[in-house]
Amino acid sequence: MLLNSRDFPANAREGLGNPTLQKALSMARTGFPEKRARAIERLPEFESLREKARAIKEATLANLDFYLETYENKVLAAGGKVHWARSASEAREAVLAICRSVGAKTVTKGKSMVAEEVGLNPFLEENGITPIETDLGEYIIQLRREPPSHIIAPAIHLVKEEVAQSFREAHRELPPQRPLSEARQLCDEARAVLRPRFLAADAGITGANFLVAETGSSLIVTNEGNGDLTQLLPRVHIVMASIEKLVPTLEDAATLLRLLARSATGQEFSAYTTLSTGPRREGDEDGPEAYHVVLLDNGRSALLGGEFEDILRCIRCAACLNHCPVYTAVGGHAYGTVYPGPMGAVLSPALFGLEECAHLPNASTFCGRCEAVCPMQIPLPKMMRGWREREFTQKKAPAVARAALRLWAFFALRPGLYHPFARIVARALFAAGARRGRFRSLLFHSGWTAVRDLPAPEGRTFHHLWAKRRKGA
Amino acid sequence: MAETGVRVGLFVTCLVDLFRPSVGFAAVKLLEEAGCSVEAPFAQTCCGQPSYNSGDRQSATRIAEKVIETFADYDYVVVPSGSCAGMIRRHYPGLFAEDAEMRARAEALAAKTYELTSFLVGVRGFTRVKARWRKRVTYHDGCSGLRELGVRDEPRTLLASVEGLALSELSGAETCCGFGGSFAVKYPDISDKMVADKVADIAASGAEAVLCGDLGCLLNIAGKLCRLGRAVEARHVAEVLAGMAEELPPIGAPG
Ligand code: SF4
């Protein structure tokens, strides 16, 4: 898994300067939000559903140990097995061991952000197993050897022409002159290429949108039906999920599903909602012979009971990405972690370390749109601020910035010093800038004047003028 | 109009104090027209948001304590900024999670603190100003005012009473302008993209002036308008409502 969050500013610059990416991002920028808005409009009980959903997840997280155990027992009872993975490497090893135990050579994969999080594909390849992504977006980025740039639309950073190019390079057995300019043609080609691979795969790996404690089921939603083929055709089905995917009951899952697709794509429901519970039973027409769940912690349990617990309510709908003016400006790759956008700015530092990801919670204007649209009412800006506070108290913030802040606070706490000083600054800036009314540059290099002018002050401070007016009165 | 029973403490904000005191005087004029007696205590400086949003919670708490003390005795605290009003209303109480007494005082302050236009309309029932300005304007909703305080209709209600003024709504009015305090300086490229998009929307609205209730956003937007050489004026909404727009040069214009 690629991790270069430290280079966020440079990555962002690159994204901003890439016209193809900017064109591709318009889907996230306007398409998803408009569709979501229409879907929410048609759902008058949206606000009360949000409350309910939040309560469900809060109650689950408060008793997560109980629900995890219940879930495991149910999985066992259904004939499956749960593999507990504390870290990314334990999760990779668990998957590899399962694949080896059945002599798997190729595995098909439905979309799984947890698999991306642990870097499963390169690891399987190193160990002689070929992973084949079956979600169209994931398939495209696998061909291009790129990480996903969005949590539900992994190839959203690409335009059709780039996809066609990748298909021509990868599918050399097909006639070179074939038309590939329409989305439909690309879909059909991917489908035709993937079909035999579904049939040939020895194991199928899917993610999970929810894990249901009362039944031991895993639940996925897809729009392509690829998840069903991935989990039904091979001999082994491996579910990769993180511990916060638990919900107590099927009823709870249904409540959350009402919010998920609407918040994500503006659909009322995704095209396919698939539950799987254990391997094939006697009399079942199809299904895998073995059913495994690899359950990943990777730092999440440490968030329970702390100031970042709320992020564990996240259902990965991506509304916060689609409505984020920063995400939709720079694209997902700029973030340098698998989880971009506001939810990633909160989760990534927890998973991969604050030092590595310090830019992410800082690269926000706190405009609050993410929190306003989040179906789970997750206070994303508050938690980004929480990371900034840790950065500050752990002295990880740049020394100059820290000193400047302390100096500012020193003055702000001393009006007797602050006001005379403000008067001098207002005067000086006015004297230097009044003729033009603004500054094109300052004496030092500043991010402000790099891209916009600084309006000049009026010359006197309010408090100075107010005091004079008082005396006059 | 001389009902002077209501004592309002004006929280000027550090940006208005330094960059555009006229906004403060516009606020005073409007508040007086709405029957309030206004004071602007000298002991105030800043609401502490720069510290708070940069992770220096300790300093933010100390500044908040000072603000709470300074404004304790007023009937209301009014702020010509959704962002600073949001800081006091939505964030001060949380700074004192461990201190019940201070928390209660912070909550008391939060409960009586208002953004200027929402105070005029919502608390004072003051909806008609005595101003005229023959301009086609558009309005940018500052993020904190809009989402933390739910201020949306109030400035529009008041602007509708300005003689000669016509409002064209801005497409993407709810999208951030890219200011975000230190964000604008720390991530200039991203901020630039955001403010450039905003300025393009402003231009597309066909307005001669863009108004907003937050000087932070306005310095950003005006700065970009100037840099691009656009003729659109940027002004705080209070200037227009107080009838000061005729004689006061717009933000970023020669004084
Ligand atoms: S944080 Fe909220 S909006 Fe963002 S992906 Fe998670 S549930 Fe969706």
Side-chain angles (χ1 to χ4, degrees), chain B residues 136-140 166-170 202 205 207 209-212:
Chain B
R136 172 160 295 279
V137 306
T138 190
Y139 196 84
H140 168 65
L167 179 75
S168 319
E169 286 293 349
L170 189 58
I202 292 168
S205 77
V210 55
L211 310 179
C212 171

Side-chain angles (χ1 to χ4, degrees), chain A residues 250-262:
Chain A
L250 282 171
E251 189 71 38
D252 294 332
T255 303
L256 297 173
L257 280 172
R258 295 188 67 200
L259 290 168
L260 178 59
R262 288 179 168 97

Side-chain angles (χ1 to χ4, degrees), chain A residues 35-78:
Chain A
K35 288 187 187 141
R36 172 196 172 273
R38 282 199 292 273
I40 302 302
E41 222 168 84
R42 290 193 300 265
L43 186 74
E45 68 270 39
F46 179 67
E47 282 307 319
S48 67
L49 263 179
R50 280 175 100 190
E51 298 284 340
K52 247 192 183 164
R54 173 190 183 144
I56 289 171
K57 272 286 188 181
E58 277 180 346
T60 316
L61 292 171
N63 301 291
L64 191 59
D65 49 347
F66 169 76
Y67 289 114
L68 284 166
E69 272 181 48
T70 313
Y71 170 75
E72 182 181 29
N73 289 334
K74 291 289 177 183
V75 172
L76 284 171

Side-chain angles (χ1 to χ4, degrees), chain A residues 151 311 314-320 343 370 373-376 378 380:
Chain A
I151 59 175
I311 194 62
C314 173
I315 55 172
R316 307 286 189 270
C317 72
C320 58
M343 61 75 63
C370 50
V373 297
C374 174
M376 303 305 291
I378 298 173
L380 295 154

